[in-house]
Every structure is written in C-alpha cells, then in structure tokens.
Amino acid sequence: MQAKKRYLTLLSAATCLALLLYLGGVQLRAARAPPPAGRHGAAPRPGSEQRPWPRFPDALRSFGEPEGAGGGGGAGRVSPRQRRDGSAGLYRGRRCRMESCFDFGLCQKNGFKVYVYPQQKGEKIAESYQNVLAAIEGSRFYTSDPSQACLFVLSLDTLDRDQLSPQYVHNLRSKVQSLHLWNNGRNHLIFNLYSGTWPDYTEDVGFDIGQAMLAKASISTENFRPNFDVSIPLFSKDHPRTGGEKGFLRFNTIPPLRKYMLVFKGKRYLTGIGSDTRNALYHVHNGEDVVLLTTCKHGKDWQKHKDSRCDKDNTEYEKYDYREMLHNATFCLVPRGRRLGSFRFLEALQAACVPVMLSNGWELPFSEVIDWKQAAVIGDERLLLQIPSTIRSIHQDKILALRQQTQFLWEAYFSSVEKIVLTTLEIIQDRIFKHISRNSLIWNKHPGGLFVLPQYSSYLGDFPYYYANLGLKPLPTFTAVIHAVTPLVSQSQPVLKLLVAVAKSQYCAKIIVLWNCDKPLPAKHRWPATSVPVIVIEGESKVMSSRFLPYDNIGTDAVLSLDEDTVLSTTEVDFAFTVWQSFPERIVGYPARSHFWDNTKERWGYTSKWTNDYSMVLTGAAIYHKYYHYLYTHYLPASLKNMVDQLANCEDILMNFLVSAVTKLPPIKVTQKKQYKETMMGQTSRASRWADPDHFAQRQSCMNTFASWFGYMPLIHSQMRLDPVLFKDQVSILRKKYRDIERL
C-alpha cells in the first residue's frame, strides 16, 4: 500500500514537471519566433530574427500624446518594421535597386530618353499631372518613339492615390497591367503626391508597382529605396508649371534676424495620425518671437472632437496673417501633417525662412543630391521643447548662409513643376551614367545641377562658374568666331578689316570664320595674312543657330562672337577681353539693348534706344564662355532654335535669355561706343535688316516666345558700364594702356 502511494506521488510529480516543461517550451518558442506578418500578409525579411529586447517605457515619447489614442502612429505603439510591412502591397519590389531592377542596356544606344504613354481615351488627368507630363514632353529628354526610350512614364494619373479624393483613378491596377510596355514596371517612373487614406494614411499607392521607380512625396526612410526611388516635395495644384516666382530674399540683409524667431500656422489634428506633434506646439508658443498657431476648425465634424483648447487656439489663430508671418520670420517650423510632407516646406524655402523640420522618418526631397544641412534645421519631434534654444544658439553668420541657400535651392529646383520634374530626371540620369555624374558641389552651389551638364565635362574647371572655388583663372586667350553671310567681293569689305584688327590682339589665339553665305567658300588667297591661324568653316545647314555650335576648333575658354560688319579696333578687343576675365560667367560686349513691359499691349517689348539702362549685350560684338555654345545647343528645345533659324533672327536675344537665366545676372557693357550704331547702320550687308520694320517686329515677338518658354522674364536691367580710366591729359597720353579708345 505504501509503495502504491509512493508510485502515485512520483507519477503526479512527473506529470506536473512534464507539463511545466511543455508550457515553458511553448513560451520559449513563441519568444524566439519571428514577428507575425503585416496586415497585408507580407512575410518578414530573411535574417530578421533577433533576440527580443525587453520592453521599457518610451522615455522620448512625443509631448502631448493622449493616452490610448488610436491611429496616431506614436512611438512605442507600432514598430517601424510593422509600419513598413503594413505597406507591403506598395513594395513588392522593396529590394529593388538600379543594379537589380533597371535595364541599363536601354540607355546605352540612344542616351537618356523618356517616353510618355499616349493618353488613353476617356481617362481624366488632373492639371497637376498634366503639368508633370508637359514638363517631360517639353524637355530635351523626351522622345515620342518608345523603341528609343530609356525611361517610361505613365499617362494614367498616379499623383493622388487617396481613395477619398475626387482625383483618385479607379481600377488602376488592371489598367497598368494591360500596357504592353509595362514589363512588370521595369524602367518605369511613377509620380505620386498623395497615398493612403484616412485614418492610416499609409504609403500604399493602391496597385503593384512591380520594379518601377517612385518619384514620391512624403516618403518615409523606411520605405524609401536608396538610389532607386526619388523623394520629391509636396506641391499644390497652384504650383506654377514653368518659371515660378523668385525667392523673397531680395538683398543680403544684415543682420539676418527678423521680427519673429520661429513661426507656424496650420491645422491641429485632434485625433489620429499626425496629431501628436501639432497638439504639443502650444508648449513652445510664447506669443512674442515664437508664434506657433493651430486651429481645430477644419473638416466637417471637428466640433465633435474639439478639446478644451480649441476655442482659445482658434481665436489666436485668426489674429495673425500667414504671409506677414512668413515674410518676417527667421525660422519656420515644418511639422508633419497627416502625411510626412507638408506644403509649409516649399512655402518656407521661397520666403527665405529657414525650415525647421519636425517630421521624423521623412526622406527629405532630393536628399540624394541636396545637402539639407546647408539650408534647414533638422529637428526631432520627441525633443520639441529644445527647438527654441537650439535655433537661438545659431550664429547670425550661419543664419544668413542658411537663408541664402534656401533661395538658391528654391530657384534652382523647386519654384516650378518643371524644375521638380527635371531635377528628378537628372538624378536618375546621373545614376545611369555614373562616370559623368555631378558631384555634391555642383548640386549645392549656383547655378545648380540643371544647368551644369556633365556630358560637357566632368571637370569643374571647364565651366565658367567655379573658377573662384577652385582657385583658377580662365585661359588668357580667346577664339574669335566671325559670322559671315555676304559674298566676299572686295578687299575693302568690313569683314577683312575686322579680321586683321582682331588678329592683332595680344590675346587672340585663333580666328574661325563661319561661312553661312549661299555662295561658295572664297579661295584661301582672298583672306589676309595674319599672325594667328584663320579657319574657315562652312555653316551647318546655313542656319543662324550654327554660330553657337560647340565647335572642336574652339580651344580657349573665351569666345569673341562677331558679326561680319562689326567695326572694332584692336584696343577695344583687348579691353573687352580683360573685363571678361573678371566676369567669366557673363556676356561682356559692346552693342546693348533693353526690354520693357508694354502695359498697353500687355506684352514684353524690345528697344534699341540709347539709354542708361540695358539688359542685353548682342552677340555681334561680345565675349562669353564657350560652355554657353554647348548649353545653347543641348539645353534649349528644338522649337526655339527652329524659330530662330526660320526667322534668321533673334539668336542673339535667345543667347542673352539663356545666360541671364543661368547666372541670374545682367550682362556687362564696355565703353559707350556711339560710333558702333552709326557704323553698323551704314553697312550694306545688314542695313536693310535693321531698317526693315518686320525685322524689328520679329524681335518683339521673339521676346515673348522666349519668355513664355522660360516661364518668366530672365533678363535683368543694369546701368553698369566699364570704361578704361582715361583723362584728357596730353602729357600722359603715351602712358595710357587703352589710349586709342579715347579718340573714338
């Protein structure tokens, strides 16, 4: 009996022990198991199994976070991996990189060409997406032949993928899959501003993008695929298609501080995602130099959710004018909204108000090429209370540098839809052709990546903008390019006198005569003997734009552009070149013209009247950097160059538009040579042109066509004129360096 009791006791103990070991094993396996798949059923990434960390209270929890609030996305609620996995439908190809999901072979034959699908019948396209497509179709990258394309862009509107939006395109998945060139999205680029909808606002665009790249606003660092996707700014439907307004920092104002140190005015979300940071702004607002205003009054049912602060906040909100705050603030707070991006970002940039970013996890626009530390303050939502003391500690010199950089970035990359789109394409092009890609200095310094074409050169010293940065000077000689359009019938013709005068210049390395005349080339003995080489080139197709082709024979940095009937002395040539050496990025020359706004006709006008103001220096007698030949040929659209060639007119105006658009500076006029006008009008080759009213009317029309393409008027008026220092002193005449100019 005793033995039986002992046996039952041991059996019971063994059973309990086995049960404990079994339950403990289940818990241990559960602790070591990978996290469950996201709500879209995405499996965890291989290798993601890690030892579990103990759970601690989040010491850096966002200020003002309501206990138990749902849908807020606050720290400690949902891990970044879970949020990322929740958008797995968007990123089936999340491992995509250029090397794995892009066919470089399509770009090797024809270069970087972009094809836009033809618009499908019955498909509506919002104006914002029409502007995106128009920017591509008007660029030098566009091709209408898909067999030549390196990159493909949908004509289906993908900008707004919020299911509650009237712009939402339904059945996009089936429509995209039916495209015969889709190829699972390979070599495709998809533009998107809004994704997800209330209450989650995920980054899911609502269809499988396959291996396509995304140019997306409000993209998180978790979902951003480095060197594959492009983060773009959130822009409004009113954002201009081309041109755009200039930044508000008109002058280098010292000191750089304004009336307000830090400002914000915007919506306050009472519940849901994005509410944490904006709900906490009242902790920092002091109503004096830190003015952070929020309103609950938005949406249809805001009163259902209003809290005790709403009425007071709404009253304070109405007291301030937003634009007045923007124009008088040093720093502008840019907190996240429902999505990571915000319209406040571009508004701050334009206003020269240094953005203070409060949007944890946002991949900033064009972060691949733009160094945002030079133009913005990157804050942390969890350290909101430290923001005022942080910005107060920034020295005034640094503040001025930050504000100036906001203006450069705004005007270079963000002021229009066209610039946003072109910047996106240029970034992708740099990835494809890495051996000639632009470096950080080019992207972050004037004039920026859109105007410094790497196909021209990979060496900064070959461009007119970086001499000071590199400690270099342009080459001390120039190449003269004389544009000839009339037959050579007499040895007394102005072109021969001009050739001799230019050849005597101590700075002249070579003379190129561009023969755009219908008559055959003259025999070599018809040209005068000179101490420098003279090369006669027959113009390509005999068109006006051929005078600005980047000829290999131009071996110097400087080009002296001349019309055949120009009358210049050797002294004048020398003086103009010495002036240009100090301003290598500008056009420097003699014949000046100006533009004006005609209120009666509501259009731009062109004038040749002699006034103190000028905005153009015509290329009939001007010096500029040879890079502008390349830019004129490869940057400007064929439509503008064809117009110039058909009219046989306006090429000099177009070159001035281009250089002023790049430099944001006026040209430079040297010596007020009034004889130039009378001499020019007396020549037989062009007298009829200048006297012809149709010729002048054409130039008026060209001004407006060019301004329309650029999206604004790039020409800038100036009253600066550089003359030699001369005095009517006969005793010292022999000591004057440019004494011949005094006799003009």
Side-chain angles (χ1 to χ4, degrees):
M1 189 68 180
Q2 295 294 329
K4 186 176 182 180
K5 287 183 179 180
R6 287 196 297 270
Y7 175 79
L8 290 175
T9 302
L10 288 172
L11 182 61
S12 299
T15 303
C16 291
L17 181 61
L19 183 61
L20 287 173
L21 290 173
Y22 172 78
L23 293 176
V26 170
Q27 291 178 353
L28 185 61
R29 286 194 299 273
R32 291 180 177 176
R39 58 179 177 170
H40 291 285
R45 295 193 302 175
S48 63
E49 295 83 3
Q50 297 178 358
R51 296 178 63 183
W53 286 90
R55 293 191 63 181
F56 297 106
D58 188 0
L60 295 178
R61 185 175 183 171
S62 299
F63 296 104
E65 179 183 333
E67 291 293 335
R77 253 189 237 107
V78 183
S79 72
R81 179 181 295 154
Q82 287 173 313
R83 286 199 301 271
R84 183 184 60 203
D85 290 345
S87 301
L90 173 61
Y91 292 133
R92 299 271 176 92
R94 70 174 52 175
R95 294 181 178 275
C96 272
R97 297 296 183 267
M98 296 295 290
E99 295 76 15
S100 59
C101 294
F102 192 88
D103 184 358
F104 289 86
L106 296 179
C107 310
Q108 300 303 320
K109 183 178 180 181
N110 300 304
F112 187 67
K113 296 295 182 182
V114 184
Y115 173 76
V116 176
Y117 284 84
Q119 186 173 351
Q120 297 183 14
K121 192 173 183 180
E123 289 291 342
K124 294 182 179 180
I125 300 180
E127 183 179 358
S128 293
Y129 198 57
Q130 288 178 352
N131 290 341
V132 169
L133 299 183
I136 298 174
E137 291 170 350
S139 73
R140 68 184 186 280
F141 301 121
Y142 176 70
T143 178
S144 58
D145 183 359
S147 66
Q148 294 187 354
C150 168
L151 190 68
F152 300 82
V153 176
L154 303 177
S155 63
L156 297 164
D157 191 343
T158 57
L159 280 190
D160 194 340
R161 301 302 298 154
D162 186 336
Q163 296 178 17
L164 299 179
S165 170
Q167 310 296 339
Y168 182 81
V169 177
H170 295 274
N171 303 318
L172 193 56
R173 179 179 181 180
S174 60
K175 293 174 181 177
V176 170
Q177 294 294 336
S178 66
L179 300 173
H180 70 284
L181 297 173
W182 175 242
N183 191 24
N184 193 32
R186 200 170 183 85
N187 286 53
H188 280 67
L189 176 65
I190 295 172
F191 287 89
N192 176 253
L193 293 181
Y194 307 98
S195 62
T197 190
W198 187 88
D200 306 48
Y201 295 96
T202 66
E203 296 179 42
D204 192 343
V205 296
F207 69 99
D208 183 7
I209 65 171
Q211 296 180 343
M213 292 181 284
L214 275 174
K216 181 173 173 54
S218 304
I219 191 169
S220 67
T221 54
E222 292 289 340
N223 285 325
F224 180 75
R225 296 169 293 182
N227 296 311
F228 193 70
D229 294 329
V230 180
S231 177
I232 64 174
L234 182 65
F235 58 87
S236 71
K237 62 181 180 180
D238 300 321
H239 205 56
R241 185 176 71 83
T242 60
E245 292 186 42
K246 292 185 177 181
F248 297 157
L249 183 63
R250 299 287 187 245
F251 306 100
N252 294 336
T253 50
I254 304 292
L257 298 177
R258 294 172 169 180
K259 177 181 177 181
Y260 303 110
M261 175 61 70
L262 178 67
V263 300
F264 172 76
K265 188 176 182 182
K267 298 176 182 177
R268 177 160 71 88
Y269 307 113
L270 298 171
T271 61
I273 192 168
S275 60
D276 295 353
T277 300
R278 295 196 182 192
N279 277 340
L281 295 184
Y282 76 97
H283 288 293
V284 182
H285 169 80
N286 64 20
E288 296 175 359
D289 64 340
V290 178
V291 180
L292 308 179
L293 307 170
T294 58
T295 179
C296 309
K297 195 183 295 185
H298 57 87
K300 296 179 180 179
D301 56 351
W302 69 273
Q303 290 184 329
K304 294 180 181 179
H305 305 284
K306 64 182 294 188
D307 57 22
S308 58
R309 288 202 342 262
C310 276
D311 291 335
K312 180 181 178 181
D313 286 354
N314 293 344
T315 302
E316 189 81 357
Y317 186 89
E318 299 297 333
K319 292 181 181 179
Y320 292 82
D321 178 75
Y322 177 59
R323 290 189 65 83
E324 188 272 337
M325 291 171 62
L326 265 184
H327 288 231
N328 292 281
T330 305
F331 294 91
C332 285
L333 199 67
V334 184
R336 65 161 295 158
R338 291 299 195 189
R339 300 175 178 88
L340 293 173
S342 168
F343 293 131
R344 298 294 180 266
F345 178 69
L346 289 187
E347 292 167 353
L349 280 184
Q350 183 181 12
C353 186
V354 180
V356 179
M357 312 305 300
L358 276 186
S359 185
N360 291 9
W362 181 23
E363 189 73 26
L364 293 180
F366 304 138
S367 55
E368 187 174 332
V369 296
I370 293 179
D371 180 4
W372 283 110
K373 292 180 181 179
Q374 296 183 30
V377 176
I378 314 299
D380 190 319
E381 294 177 75
R382 299 168 297 179
L383 304 176
L384 173 64
L385 296 182
Q386 296 182 13
I387 294 297
S389 59
T390 299
I391 61 176
R392 291 184 198 280
S393 68
I394 301 176
H395 194 272
Q396 291 193 15
D397 292 348
K398 177 65 174 177
I399 292 174
L400 180 59
L402 289 168
R403 292 183 63 198
Q404 289 174 332
Q405 189 68 359
T406 64
Q407 301 302 271
F408 159 66
L409 294 176
W410 164 258
E411 294 188 9
Y413 307 120
F414 297 106
S415 63
S416 68
V417 176
E418 180 186 53
K419 289 180 181 177
I420 293 171
V421 171
L422 292 181
T423 303
T424 302
L425 298 181
E426 293 281 6
I427 290 173
I428 296 173
Q429 182 183 221
D430 274 6
R431 295 173 184 166
I432 297 169
F433 303 103
K434 290 183 178 180
H435 60 292
I436 55 171
S437 61
R438 282 153 283 216
N439 61 27
S440 180
L441 176 64
I442 292 176
W443 283 107
N444 291 279
K445 200 163 188 65
H446 182 81
L450 298 188
F451 287 121
V452 179
L453 305 185
Q455 294 82 359
Y456 173 75
S457 176
S458 58
Y459 174 55
L460 293 183
D462 287 337
F463 296 91
Y465 320 111
Y466 306 113
Y467 290 121
N469 295 92
L470 300 174
L472 301 175
K473 292 182 179 180
L475 294 175
T477 54
F478 66 81
T479 300
V481 178
I482 302 176
H483 186 230
V485 295
T486 56
L488 194 61
V489 295
S490 169
Q491 291 301 309
S492 62
Q493 282 183 231
V495 65
L496 300 181
K497 296 179 180 179
L498 176 65
L499 197 151
V500 171
V502 171
K504 290 180 179 178
S505 170
Q506 58 181 312
Y507 305 111
C508 182
K510 186 185 302 180
I511 298 176
I512 297 174
V513 178
L514 179 61
W515 191 255
N516 263 354
C517 179
D518 293 333
K519 301 295 183 181
L521 286 172
K524 288 185 178 180
H525 71 273
R526 301 289 301 277
W527 301 101
T530 59
S531 58
V532 298
V534 176
I535 301 173
V536 183
I537 300 175
E538 193 152 13
E540 184 177 312
S541 304
K542 308 288 186 182
V543 295
M544 295 299 288
S545 292
S546 62
R547 72 183 300 176
F548 296 138
L549 287 173
Y551 294 105
D552 293 335
N553 290 313
I554 301 176
T556 58
D557 292 332
V559 175
L560 172 60
S561 177
L562 298 164
D563 286 340
E564 62 180 3
D565 52 3
T566 298
V567 178
L568 285 179
S569 68
T570 303
T571 303
E572 289 174 300
V573 171
D574 287 350
F575 177 64
F577 179 71
T578 57
V579 171
W580 177 84
Q581 287 180 303
S582 298
F583 305 94
E585 75 280 14
R586 303 207 216 179
I587 297 178
V588 176
Y590 290 91
R593 298 292 184 267
S594 188
H595 75 285
F596 65 94
W597 178 254
D598 190 335
N599 284 317
T600 59
K601 299 180 180 178
E602 294 189 345
R603 64 198 304 258
W604 293 105
Y606 170 89
T607 179
S608 57
K609 292 181 179 179
W610 288 79
T611 64
N612 289 330
D613 283 358
Y614 65 91
S615 58
M616 290 173 277
V617 167
L618 304 186
T619 54
I623 300 177
Y624 49 79
H625 198 282
K626 69 175 180 179
Y627 174 61
Y628 293 125
H629 276 203
Y630 187 89
L631 208 57
Y632 183 100
T633 302
H634 296 285
Y635 176 81
L636 293 175
S639 59
L640 294 188
K641 292 179 288 188
N642 290 340
M643 176 184 177
V644 164
D645 295 338
Q646 289 171 7
L647 295 175
N649 194 357
C650 303
E651 82 289 348
D652 46 2
I653 298 177
L654 183 54
M655 178 60 88
N656 273 269
F657 266 70
L658 176 62
V659 176
S660 290
V662 175
T663 62
K664 306 294 189 294
L665 295 169
I668 293 178
K669 176 171 175 52
V670 289
T671 71
Q672 190 72 16
K673 185 186 177 187
K674 293 188 177 181
Q675 285 185 359
Y676 183 90
K677 183 177 181 181
E678 287 76 17
T679 305
M680 180 181 66
M681 294 296 291
Q683 301 302 325
T684 57
S685 63
R686 300 182 69 189
S688 59
R689 288 183 62 197
W690 293 105
D692 184 0
D694 289 339
H695 175 83
F696 192 79
Q698 287 174 353
R699 294 173 80 78
Q700 298 269 19
S701 178
C702 287
M703 294 279 293
N704 291 277
T705 301
F706 299 160
S708 175
W709 184 82
F710 279 91
Y712 70 109
M713 171 52 72
L715 298 179
I716 302 170
H717 283 104
S718 175
Q719 293 186 350
M720 184 171 75
R721 187 189 77 216
L722 296 184
D723 292 343
V725 180
L726 301 175
F727 300 94
K728 297 291 183 180
D729 182 355
Q730 295 303 316
V731 175
S732 60
I733 186 67
L734 297 179
R735 295 200 298 265
K736 295 176 181 177
K737 185 174 182 180
Y738 302 105
R739 54 183 178 270
D740 290 344
I741 295 181
E742 189 177 73
R743 302 192 182 103
L744 297 177

